[in-house]
Amino acid sequence: MLFLLAAHAAVAASLPWWQRRLGRTVWVVAALVPLAAVVWAGTRAARVLDGGDYRESLSWAPSLGLTVDLRLDALSLLMLWIVAGVGALVLLYCRYYVERDTGRLAAVLLAFAGAMTGLVLADNVFVLYVFWELTTVASFVLIAGRGDDREERRAARQALLVTTAGGLVMLLGLILLGRAAGTYRISGILADPPQGGAVSAAVVLVLIGAFAKSAQMPLHGWLPAAMVAPTPVSAYLHAAAMVKAGVYLIARLAPALAETAPWRPMVLAVGLTTMVAAAWRALRATDLKLLLAYGTISELGLLVALLGAGTRTAALAGAVMLLAHAAFKAALFLSVGILDRQTGTRDVRELSGAGRRMPVLFAASALAAASMAGIPPLVGYLGKEAYFEAFLHGGSHLAGHGWLTAVLVAGSALTVAYAARFVQGAFGGRPGGPVARAERPEAGFVAPVAVLAGAGLALGVGYAGTAALAGAYADAYPPGPDGPYELSLWHGLTPVLGLSALTLTLGALVHLGRRSLPVAPRLPDVQRAYDRTVAAADRLAVAVTRHTQVGSVPVYLTVLLATVVLVPGTALLAGASPPGSPPAWWSPLETILAVVVLTAAAAVVGSRHRLTGLLLTGAVGYGVAGVFLVRGAPDLALTQFLVETMTLVVVVLVLRRMPARFSPGRTAARVRLVRAAAAGAVGILVTWFTLVASAARTAPAVSSGYAERMKETGGDNIVNTIIVDFRALDTLGEISVLLVTAVGAVSLIRVGVRGPGRTSGGPGGTAPTAHWDEPARTWLPGAPERPGGERSLLLEVVTRLVFPSILVLSLFLLFSGHYGPGGGFAGGLVASQAFVLRYLVGGRADLRAAVRAPASAVAGSGLLLAAVAGTVPLLFGGTLLESTVVTLHPPVLGTVKFATSVFFDIGVYLLVVGVVLKLLSALGVSLGRDMAEADGAGPADDGATAEGAR
């Protein structure tokens, strides 16, 4: 199971690369993965259908109880065949449907298939939630496309907001449920269902999340809006897979929670109301995709009611209808895509005669629509007979409630009516209009529709196999009062058969007389309600930010710091014990460094020039690094020195775009007093907290345990072993955040940058004044980038001489970090400063000559290497991020001993270098523009003149 998930992820990531080499054949490559999942599930089916299961577990953070638990049982097997089987056919269909953006769409569709596979296999509520939200993200990306169309962006945002909000509510319910049960394993919760008031609250929260995901009224508005997505997306996500996630969750938890109030009233009321109301809306639709969308909502309501009812016969009917709906609704959506592609329209008022023009497509679509209407011998008929039996004789909870049966009859009749409307509107009449000019689709284009429609016939005729698959899940419930219900195409002349015939008759009458039907009361417009809610939220946000977002960073910082002082500070003063009498210092050098730090900090407050303030702030950092060094922490001191140096360089580059002095004008004394009070209070709070926390320790320090186990890692530097061994998961998260932050910073830096600017001489093309050390020839890279007065031949030559030495020093720090001061982060910073030096003296061209690889590739490969180095131990039976000491005896080098964590450290090294290169590339664009404008009469000169005038 873990291999299946990994295969989906790996192949999805590689599909854009394959697309450039295979073209449209890439869809066949993508389809192989879900086909493999179908085959794999088939090899496990015998044991699962006999009541067994398969389990796999991956320990992610065992000390925190975080494990990836997967389980294949009867319900998971059913859903996996639906997700993988329909997914493979949709991917093959896309080979004929998708014309542009093939690699991206194939990758996202396959990634979505992997997320759905993980969702149905998850045996842990947190794992289920992660995959749940991954399907939401994939749906957003697929609906929005490239983001060029406003309607697509709006629909994607609506789907994201509704389903994500429902998912967060569901997560709270799952946490309450897990706490009440004492386990977060889903199989554990089902084996010993919890009781109590907290469970009732959890039921409500979980069902709200499931209703939002499965588009139940009144949370259904996002699904019709999502019909702007490409038809294969609608067929897969919004008919066969994603929208069934909520139904799946209800089916998964119903055996344990159906008896818990208010589970059954909620699923029956919401499900049956949705079934009837959405079916009526489908009958009135003229767009074929919109008709199918409301039909999907209606049938999802039926599935919610059946799978949540809590009886064996209802569960059996729900499982059969899951299979039936996946087959017929995916087939119908795909047929609409073919009609739309061949004729250019989906409007039933413009289509005429497609049945004669495309007879094979018509036959397949009619077969699928017949299954949707519940006509024998199709699988839809099996499901309809079963759910009528469930509500007539299926148990005391459902039998005897005539209104439930009446609602089912009404909903089923409307389903028959809109199925007939679909067939007649899409294929009826004589060929004319756009249909007369349409070409017949290729056989491969129609084949997925035919396979899905044929599956509905095969599952109906071969009802014994359907009964085995659906019954394996339904057997989790006790049998009905008259024994277990068995699927069959003929049960004799029974009331259930009469109800089936009645729905077909009523549906046909509704379809024939729909134009003369009385106008039903207008249902509430959910889309308008959503739009008004979003607009009200926007107005509220504007009203709030008008008073809170005043555009002043000092004000924001003052508010934040004051909040920190008042809330945690008050709690600290009220409940903390006295810190005792700690020593004032451990070394006389600390007092000198403290004076330096305090003096520099005080001088920052009084500085008026930005560069002066920056240098004084750097002095504070260097002083703190000195304290680390005095206290015997050379690793921390080295890192602090390097970080401060890099910060100074980068911020100085940024300051070139800002005025030399701070904002003009005098700040009121009262404002300065408030800021000083806030800053001083924070300093006192942090000092007090440090002293109290140190005095409050009762358990031995964690560092002692690290020191005892350090030899297991093969290292002698405890700081590095903590970073790459004991706390490697933290490091992996931190470097991921660093990369994401760099990408965000680069995006902000490049906002408004249209190009590198002019690189010519001054106004009128006048050459700059020469200097004695100015290069006479442009034999060095990047010579045209800077005016002659800003270049120094001596500095450039010296830089090229010391550049290799700095890189060698960085590599020394990288590989010696496990045994002495250094490591991947420190080594990466040293190497980054070498590249910064090359950039400062030679410009962007010289930097490109020093490092050929793109900055994004360097940073990404670093993160990938760190992640791979952490996961490889799993392949050999180890734990995540486990390190092993390897000893080799090469013939020339003798004995070579190293820890495998060095590869993790190399990843950190590459990521740090890549992030700095990415920042330089972004800053370089804006700086190049500034320097060009400074040469000529550009905007920079205008800004300087304005600043001087002020």
Side-chain angles (χ1 to χ4, degrees):
M1 289 181 276
L2 290 168
F3 177 78
L4 278 180
L5 300 180
H8 279 85
V11 176
S14 66
L15 283 180
W17 182 87
W18 281 108
Q19 189 274 331
R20 291 191 291 269
R21 287 151 181 81
L22 299 178
R24 290 194 175 187
T25 311
V26 72
W27 292 107
V28 178
V29 177
L32 292 176
V33 181
L35 282 175
V38 172
V39 174
W40 177 87
T43 61
R44 269 74 176 167
R47 175 176 167 181
V48 170
L49 296 181
D50 285 340
D53 61 13
Y54 289 88
R55 298 173 186 259
E56 288 184 15
S57 183
L58 171 64
S59 295
W60 178 254
S63 59
L64 300 177
L66 297 180
T67 58
V68 179
D69 298 313
L70 303 177
R71 178 171 175 254
L72 179 71
D73 64 353
L75 181 59
S76 298
L77 178 68
L78 172 66
M79 285 296 299
L80 184 59
W81 268 336
I82 291 174
V83 169
V86 176
L89 292 172
V90 169
L91 289 169
L92 293 174
Y93 172 93
C94 287
R95 184 178 186 274
Y96 300 90
Y97 185 90
V98 179
E99 295 182 348
R100 63 186 184 92
D101 211 10
T102 302
R104 174 183 172 275
L105 187 58
V108 180
L109 274 173
L110 185 58
F112 169 81
M116 277 300 302
T117 301
L119 191 153
V120 301
L121 293 175
D123 193 31
N124 181 288
V125 296
F126 296 114
V127 176
L128 183 144
Y129 175 74
V130 168
F131 285 113
W132 183 283
E133 292 304 326
L134 286 176
T135 62
T136 298
V137 173
S139 173
F140 172 82
V141 174
L142 290 168
I143 296 172
R146 284 291 185 180
D148 300 328
D149 186 85
R150 180 176 177 273
E151 197 64 26
E152 290 177 348
R153 296 195 306 270
R154 179 176 175 274
R157 185 169 58 249
Q158 181 176 355
L160 181 70
L161 289 175
V162 174
T163 55
T164 301
L168 290 173
V169 173
M170 179 200 72
L171 176 62
L172 178 58
L174 291 175
I175 292 174
L176 290 176
L177 192 61
R179 288 181 62 86
T183 178
Y184 291 105
R185 267 186 176 267
I186 298 175
S187 56
I189 296 173
L190 297 178
D192 187 14
Q195 302 293 330
V199 178
S200 295
V203 161
V204 174
L205 297 173
V206 169
L207 287 179
I208 290 174
F211 293 160
K213 194 76 164 181
S214 289
Q216 297 299 284
M217 290 187 173
L219 304 175
H220 68 284
W222 67 268
L223 183 55
M227 292 300 105
V228 298
T231 298
V233 174
S234 301
Y236 192 23
L237 276 69
H238 308 134
M242 175 186 165
V243 290
K244 285 192 173 66
V247 173
Y248 165 77
L249 183 61
I250 291 173
R252 174 60 72 195
L253 298 178
L257 302 178
E259 302 298 331
T260 302
W263 176 282
R264 189 172 283 112
M266 285 186 67
V267 295
L268 292 177
V270 173
L272 294 179
T273 301
T274 301
M275 179 188 182
V276 175
W280 180 263
R281 291 291 298 269
L283 196 59
R284 298 290 185 178
T286 56
D287 184 295
L288 288 176
K289 281 187 72 174
L290 203 58
L291 185 154
L292 293 177
Y294 279 109
T296 298
I297 296 170
S298 173
E299 285 137 9
L300 290 172
L302 172 64
L303 291 173
V304 165
L306 293 176
L307 293 168
T311 66
R312 183 190 181 278
T313 308
L316 181 67
V320 174
M321 289 304 298
L322 266 177
L323 286 169
H325 181 264
F328 66 66
K329 190 53 66 73
L332 293 175
F333 265 112
L334 295 181
S335 68
V336 170
I338 296 175
L339 287 173
D340 192 12
R341 176 53 55 86
Q342 302 303 116
T343 66
T345 183
R346 303 191 307 253
D347 196 320
V348 296
R349 296 167 295 187
E350 299 177 8
L351 290 168
S352 178
R356 300 183 182 183
R357 186 69 176 167
M358 308 173 192
V360 177
L361 179 64
F362 167 60
S365 300
L367 191 63
S371 181
M372 182 166 65
I375 297 175
L378 299 160
V379 68
Y381 171 75
L382 290 178
K384 184 165 69 171
E385 288 256 310
Y387 67 68
F388 278 139
E389 175 68 24
F391 280 79
L392 281 177
H393 311 111
S396 59
H397 301 296
L398 302 179
H401 297 281
W403 67 273
L404 294 176
T405 305
V407 172
L408 276 179
V409 170
S412 300
L414 291 173
T415 301
V416 173
Y418 71 70
R421 175 170 169 76
F422 174 88
V423 174
Q424 183 184 33
F427 298 98
R430 295 179 177 274
V435 175
R437 300 185 297 272
E439 296 182 0
R440 291 187 178 183
E442 299 178 58
F445 203 5
V446 182
V449 181
V451 171
L452 288 166
L457 178 61
L459 291 170
V461 175
Y463 59 85
T466 306
L469 181 58
Y473 163 70
D475 288 341
Y477 298 90
D482 299 326
Y485 175 81
E486 300 295 338
L487 293 179
S488 177
L489 290 173
W490 177 252
H491 290 96
L493 298 175
T494 63
V496 168
L497 180 63
L499 290 177
S500 295
L502 178 62
T503 59
L504 294 176
T505 303
L506 291 176
L509 292 175
V510 170
H511 170 63
L512 295 174
R514 68 180 185 280
R515 298 184 185 277
S516 60
L517 289 176
V519 178
R522 186 177 180 84
L523 297 174
D525 192 336
V526 178
Q527 187 61 47
R528 182 178 299 177
Y530 167 80
D531 293 337
R532 289 180 176 178
T533 301
V534 172
D538 289 341
R539 289 193 297 270
L540 178 62
V542 171
V544 172
T545 54
R546 184 181 293 120
H547 297 89
T548 59
Q549 302 297 309
V550 296
S552 172
V553 175
V555 171
Y556 300 153
L557 287 175
T558 303
V559 173
L560 291 173
L561 296 177
T563 304
V564 170
V565 171
L566 292 175
V567 179
T570 303
L572 183 64
L573 291 174
S577 57
S581 301
W585 61 77
W586 281 265
S587 170
L589 288 176
E590 292 184 62
T591 58
I592 300 175
L593 292 171
V595 171
V596 172
V597 170
L598 293 175
T599 303
V604 170
V605 178
S607 64
R608 291 292 175 263
H609 288 78
R610 296 183 187 273
L611 182 58
T612 303
L614 175 63
L615 294 176
L616 290 171
T617 304
V620 174
Y622 288 130
V624 173
V627 174
F628 292 153
L629 189 61
V630 170
R631 293 300 306 274
D635 278 278
L636 295 180
L638 176 63
T639 303
Q640 179 73 11
F641 275 117
L642 294 172
V643 169
E644 284 296 333
T645 304
M646 183 62 66
T647 303
L648 282 173
V649 173
V650 173
V651 176
V652 165
L653 292 176
V654 174
L655 288 182
R656 294 185 58 154
R657 295 182 57 84
M658 302 179 69
R661 298 176 63 88
F662 289 109
S663 301
R666 296 182 60 83
T667 305
R670 176 174 54 84
V671 175
R672 292 201 304 270
L673 182 61
V674 171
R675 294 176 182 174
V682 170
I684 295 172
L685 172 64
V686 172
T687 303
W688 183 257
F689 176 79
T690 303
L691 295 174
V692 169
S694 300
R697 172 179 290 163
T698 56
V702 178
S703 57
S704 60
Y706 289 152
E708 294 172 359
R709 299 184 56 193
M710 188 170 60
K711 293 302 179 182
E712 300 175 11
T713 67
D716 298 322
N717 182 4
I718 189 171
V719 174
N720 187 260
T721 54
I722 290 173
I723 292 173
V724 301
D725 288 290
F726 300 122
R727 304 297 295 273
L729 184 61
D730 292 352
T731 304
L732 185 61
E734 289 163 1
I735 61 176
S736 303
V737 171
L738 177 63
L739 180 58
V740 172
T741 304
V743 171
V746 169
S747 301
L748 291 175
I749 291 171
R750 287 180 170 171
V751 169
V753 176
R754 299 181 181 274
R758 297 186 303 273
T759 56
S760 58
T766 305
T769 305
H771 293 267
W772 70 271
D773 61 346
E774 184 178 322
R777 297 180 181 178
T778 58
W779 58 275
L780 292 173
E785 289 188 30
R786 282 176 164 77
E790 292 198 12
R791 300 195 63 135
S792 169
L793 180 61
L794 179 62
L795 183 59
E796 292 183 14
V797 172
V798 171
T799 296
R800 284 164 177 78
L801 289 176
V802 302
F803 178 75
S805 302
I806 300 176
L807 291 183
V808 171
L809 175 61
S810 73
L811 294 175
F812 171 78
L813 292 174
L814 166 64
F815 291 108
S816 67
H818 215 49
Y819 311 100
F825 190 73
L829 286 174
V830 171
S832 299
Q833 292 182 20
F835 292 118
V836 169
L837 187 60
R838 287 290 294 266
Y839 167 75
L840 291 176
V841 300
R844 295 192 304 277
D846 194 27
L847 184 62
R848 286 194 294 269
V851 55
R852 301 289 184 178
S856 301
V858 176
S861 61
L863 182 60
L864 179 63
L865 178 60
V868 170
T871 53
V872 162
L874 297 173
L875 302 177
F876 299 94
T879 59
L880 190 69
L881 297 165
E882 181 181 0
S883 177
T884 302
V885 178
V886 178
T887 302
L888 302 176
H889 302 281
V892 178
L893 300 178
T895 301
V896 176
K897 183 179 179 181
F898 66 92
T900 56
S901 59
V902 69
F903 298 105
F904 183 89
D905 229 6
I906 293 173
V908 176
Y909 177 94
L910 291 175
L911 185 136
V912 171
V913 172
V915 165
V916 173
L917 290 175
K918 197 164 185 65
L919 290 174
L920 286 178
S921 66
L923 288 171
V925 172
S926 57
L927 291 176
R929 184 181 61 175
D930 284 352
M931 287 181 290
E933 291 171 350
D935 268 351
D941 291 323
D942 298 338
T945 304
E947 179 67 19
R950 284 196 295 270

